[in-house]
Amino acid sequence: MDNRPIGVFDSGVGGLTCIPTLQKLLPNERVVYYGDTARTPYGSKTIDTIREFSYQIADYLISHDVKMIMIVCNTVSATCLDALRNRYPNIPIIGVVEPMANRIVRDAKNEENKPIGVIGTKVTVKSGIYSTLVRKKNPNIEMYSKACPVFVPLIEEGIVKNEIMDLTIHYYLDDFIKEHDLKKLVLGCTHYPYIKKNLKRLYPDLELLNPSAEIVNEVKEILTARDMLAGEDNVGEHQCYASDLSENFYHMINLVFEDDKDVKVSFKKFNE
Ligand code: DGL
């Protein structure tokens, strides 16, 4: 048993989309969440910058004595996972991409192979990480990807239930889905579950795959295997930090933690 919190981070509010699944599957766990809302989006930055930001955040989470780190950011997972694991060899660090890639491979054993689309940030798409991991295990799975860099700034601004978001979705996805006759779409950025309802309404036949829910299963397996699950007596608050305490950050915190009263929100910015 290990009652220390789990460290969770993203470039902004995106990583919060794993919280409802985390609370459902692992209700005794407490989290220290960091959202780098002042420096988002990461997905159009250079890898050197993303790595530097990730080190700052991971160091900060470690200073809170976290037992594990969940990188709930595809962009960081695609580019910095190995570097982070080398920097902190004694703590399990789980990225959001691998669990999703493993699920795609598992599903393909039982279903007819159909082309799968991946949408993400420029950096994630350029890395080719999803198709590399999937096709290493099953080269017959056809995958296509598309960068959608405007989604994240709109979501961080809270522009979701809105015509502007719908138009942006049409702009990026209409031709992409049609051209490859896609039946499944990986939401390869943890911000995208916030536009799930828009996507379902605009493309009702498309199955959406959500890696930020998938990572929680992996976390549960690892904590169980290492006997590191928190006990039922584990009380205390969830701590959520952001580099800019925007209105939208508070809004999303309320949304994902629902009526959980034990959530403390604080400001933390790093020196440039
Ligand atoms: N939510 C993140 C991801 O999964 C980062 C998006 C961004 O900052 O560009 O890629």
Side-chain angles (χ1 to χ4, degrees), residues 97-121:
V97 176
E98 227 169 347
M100 185 73 245
N102 291 339
R103 174 168 157 208
I104 292 172
V105 174
R106 270 196 319 273
D107 286 356
K109 286 190 186 138
N110 312 315
E111 296 168 3
E112 182 197 339
N113 271 343
K114 292 195 183 125
I116 299 177
V118 179
I119 53 172
T121 65

Short mmCIF file of all heavy atoms in Angstrom, two decimals, residues 97-121:
data_model
loop_
_atom_site.label_atom_id
_atom_site.label_comp_id
_atom_site.label_asym_id
_atom_site.label_seq_id
_atom_site.Cartn_x
_atom_site.Cartn_y
_atom_site.Cartn_z
N VAL A 97 0.41 7.79 -24.68
CA VAL A 97 0.32 7.25 -26.04
C VAL A 97 0.34 5.71 -26.06
O VAL A 97 -0.48 5.07 -26.73
CB VAL A 97 1.47 7.80 -26.93
CG1 VAL A 97 1.45 7.15 -28.30
CG2 VAL A 97 1.37 9.30 -27.06
N GLU A 98 1.29 5.14 -25.30
CA GLU A 98 1.48 3.67 -25.35
C GLU A 98 0.23 2.87 -24.99
O GLU A 98 -0.12 1.93 -25.72
CB GLU A 98 2.63 3.30 -24.43
CG GLU A 98 3.59 2.37 -25.09
CD GLU A 98 4.86 2.22 -24.28
OE1 GLU A 98 5.08 3.02 -23.35
OE2 GLU A 98 5.62 1.30 -24.61
N PRO A 99 -0.48 3.22 -23.90
CA PRO A 99 -1.68 2.44 -23.57
C PRO A 99 -2.71 2.45 -24.70
O PRO A 99 -3.38 1.45 -24.95
CB PRO A 99 -2.23 3.14 -22.32
CG PRO A 99 -1.07 3.85 -21.72
CD PRO A 99 -0.19 4.24 -22.86
N MET A 100 -2.84 3.58 -25.39
CA MET A 100 -3.80 3.67 -26.50
C MET A 100 -3.33 2.80 -27.67
O MET A 100 -4.13 2.08 -28.28
CB MET A 100 -3.94 5.13 -26.96
CG MET A 100 -4.98 5.35 -28.01
SD MET A 100 -6.65 5.22 -27.35
CE MET A 100 -7.26 3.81 -28.19
N ALA A 101 -2.04 2.88 -27.97
CA ALA A 101 -1.49 2.08 -29.08
C ALA A 101 -1.70 0.58 -28.79
O ALA A 101 -2.09 -0.18 -29.68
CB ALA A 101 -0.01 2.39 -29.27
N ASN A 102 -1.48 0.18 -27.53
CA ASN A 102 -1.67 -1.24 -27.18
C ASN A 102 -3.13 -1.65 -27.36
O ASN A 102 -3.42 -2.75 -27.81
CB ASN A 102 -1.25 -1.49 -25.72
CG ASN A 102 0.26 -1.37 -25.56
OD1 ASN A 102 0.99 -1.48 -26.56
ND2 ASN A 102 0.72 -1.13 -24.36
N ARG A 103 -4.04 -0.75 -27.02
CA ARG A 103 -5.46 -1.10 -27.17
C ARG A 103 -5.83 -1.25 -28.65
O ARG A 103 -6.59 -2.15 -29.02
CB ARG A 103 -6.34 -0.04 -26.51
CG ARG A 103 -7.75 -0.37 -26.82
CD ARG A 103 -8.81 0.32 -26.08
NE ARG A 103 -10.01 0.25 -26.91
CZ ARG A 103 -10.97 1.12 -26.90
NH1 ARG A 103 -10.90 2.16 -26.11
NH2 ARG A 103 -12.01 0.97 -27.67
N ILE A 104 -5.28 -0.39 -29.49
CA ILE A 104 -5.57 -0.49 -30.93
C ILE A 104 -5.11 -1.86 -31.45
O ILE A 104 -5.82 -2.53 -32.18
CB ILE A 104 -4.87 0.65 -31.71
CG1 ILE A 104 -5.52 1.99 -31.33
CG2 ILE A 104 -4.93 0.42 -33.21
CD1 ILE A 104 -4.80 3.22 -31.87
N VAL A 105 -3.94 -2.27 -31.00
CA VAL A 105 -3.41 -3.57 -31.44
C VAL A 105 -4.29 -4.70 -30.92
O VAL A 105 -4.62 -5.65 -31.65
CB VAL A 105 -1.94 -3.73 -30.96
CG1 VAL A 105 -1.41 -5.12 -31.27
CG2 VAL A 105 -1.05 -2.67 -31.61
N ARG A 106 -4.69 -4.62 -29.66
CA ARG A 106 -5.57 -5.66 -29.08
C ARG A 106 -6.89 -5.75 -29.83
O ARG A 106 -7.34 -6.81 -30.20
CB ARG A 106 -5.87 -5.32 -27.61
CG ARG A 106 -4.88 -5.89 -26.61
CD ARG A 106 -5.42 -5.88 -25.19
NE ARG A 106 -6.14 -4.71 -24.78
CZ ARG A 106 -5.58 -3.60 -24.26
NH1 ARG A 106 -4.28 -3.52 -24.12
NH2 ARG A 106 -6.34 -2.58 -23.88
N ASP A 107 -7.51 -4.58 -30.07
CA ASP A 107 -8.81 -4.56 -30.76
C ASP A 107 -8.71 -5.16 -32.15
O ASP A 107 -9.65 -5.81 -32.62
CB ASP A 107 -9.34 -3.12 -30.89
CG ASP A 107 -9.85 -2.59 -29.56
OD1 ASP A 107 -9.86 -3.37 -28.57
OD2 ASP A 107 -10.23 -1.41 -29.50
N ALA A 108 -7.58 -4.93 -32.81
CA ALA A 108 -7.43 -5.38 -34.20
C ALA A 108 -7.43 -6.90 -34.30
O ALA A 108 -7.69 -7.46 -35.36
CB ALA A 108 -6.15 -4.80 -34.80
N LYS A 109 -7.16 -7.59 -33.18
CA LYS A 109 -7.17 -9.06 -33.20
C LYS A 109 -8.59 -9.59 -33.38
O LYS A 109 -8.80 -10.66 -33.91
CB LYS A 109 -6.60 -9.60 -31.88
CG LYS A 109 -5.11 -9.44 -31.80
CD LYS A 109 -4.57 -10.21 -30.61
CE LYS A 109 -3.10 -9.93 -30.46
NZ LYS A 109 -2.67 -9.74 -29.09
N ASN A 110 -9.56 -8.83 -32.89
CA ASN A 110 -10.95 -9.31 -32.90
C ASN A 110 -11.82 -8.66 -33.96
O ASN A 110 -12.97 -9.02 -34.12
CB ASN A 110 -11.60 -9.04 -31.53
CG ASN A 110 -10.72 -9.49 -30.41
OD1 ASN A 110 -10.16 -10.57 -30.47
ND2 ASN A 110 -10.56 -8.65 -29.40
N GLU A 111 -11.29 -7.67 -34.63
CA GLU A 111 -12.14 -6.95 -35.58
C GLU A 111 -11.48 -6.93 -36.95
O GLU A 111 -10.27 -7.05 -37.06
CB GLU A 111 -12.30 -5.48 -35.15
CG GLU A 111 -13.01 -5.30 -33.84
CD GLU A 111 -12.87 -3.87 -33.34
OE1 GLU A 111 -12.27 -3.02 -34.03
OE2 GLU A 111 -13.33 -3.61 -32.22
N GLU A 112 -12.31 -6.69 -37.95
CA GLU A 112 -11.78 -6.50 -39.30
C GLU A 112 -10.93 -5.21 -39.28
O GLU A 112 -11.32 -4.23 -38.65
CB GLU A 112 -13.00 -6.33 -40.21
CG GLU A 112 -12.70 -6.18 -41.66
CD GLU A 112 -13.94 -5.61 -42.38
OE1 GLU A 112 -15.05 -5.73 -41.83
OE2 GLU A 112 -13.76 -5.04 -43.44
N ASN A 113 -9.78 -5.24 -39.95
CA ASN A 113 -8.93 -4.04 -39.94
C ASN A 113 -9.52 -2.92 -40.77
O ASN A 113 -9.74 -3.07 -41.96
CB ASN A 113 -7.54 -4.39 -40.49
CG ASN A 113 -6.63 -4.85 -39.38
OD1 ASN A 113 -6.92 -4.63 -38.21
ND2 ASN A 113 -5.54 -5.49 -39.75
N LYS A 114 -9.76 -1.80 -40.11
CA LYS A 114 -10.27 -0.64 -40.84
C LYS A 114 -9.30 0.50 -40.60
O LYS A 114 -8.67 0.56 -39.54
CB LYS A 114 -11.63 -0.25 -40.28
CG LYS A 114 -12.69 -1.29 -40.57
CD LYS A 114 -14.07 -0.73 -40.34
CE LYS A 114 -15.10 -1.82 -40.56
NZ LYS A 114 -15.97 -2.00 -39.42
N PRO A 115 -9.15 1.42 -41.56
CA PRO A 115 -8.20 2.51 -41.35
C PRO A 115 -8.55 3.34 -40.11
O PRO A 115 -9.73 3.61 -39.86
CB PRO A 115 -8.31 3.36 -42.62
CG PRO A 115 -9.36 2.75 -43.46
CD PRO A 115 -9.83 1.48 -42.86
N ILE A 116 -7.52 3.73 -39.39
CA ILE A 116 -7.72 4.50 -38.15
C ILE A 116 -7.08 5.88 -38.33
O ILE A 116 -5.94 5.99 -38.79
CB ILE A 116 -7.07 3.77 -36.95
CG1 ILE A 116 -7.74 2.40 -36.77
CG2 ILE A 116 -7.17 4.59 -35.67
CD1 ILE A 116 -7.14 1.57 -35.66
N GLY A 117 -7.80 6.90 -37.96
CA GLY A 117 -7.26 8.25 -38.01
C GLY A 117 -6.76 8.68 -36.64
O GLY A 117 -7.27 8.24 -35.62
N VAL A 118 -5.72 9.50 -36.65
CA VAL A 118 -5.21 10.08 -35.39
C VAL A 118 -5.18 11.59 -35.57
O VAL A 118 -4.61 12.07 -36.56
CB VAL A 118 -3.78 9.60 -35.08
CG1 VAL A 118 -3.27 10.23 -33.78
CG2 VAL A 118 -3.69 8.09 -35.00
N ILE A 119 -5.78 12.31 -34.65
CA ILE A 119 -5.63 13.77 -34.69
C ILE A 119 -4.83 14.21 -33.46
O ILE A 119 -4.93 13.60 -32.39
CB ILE A 119 -6.99 14.51 -34.78
CG1 ILE A 119 -7.97 14.06 -33.68
CG2 ILE A 119 -7.62 14.30 -36.14
CD1 ILE A 119 -9.25 14.90 -33.62
N GLY A 120 -4.01 15.23 -33.64
CA GLY A 120 -3.18 15.67 -32.52
C GLY A 120 -2.54 17.01 -32.84
O GLY A 120 -2.88 17.67 -33.83
N THR A 121 -1.58 17.37 -32.00
CA THR A 121 -0.86 18.63 -32.24
C THR A 121 0.16 18.41 -33.37
O THR A 121 0.42 17.27 -33.76
CB THR A 121 -0.11 19.07 -30.97
OG1 THR A 121 0.90 18.10 -30.70
CG2 THR A 121 -1.04 19.21 -29.78
#
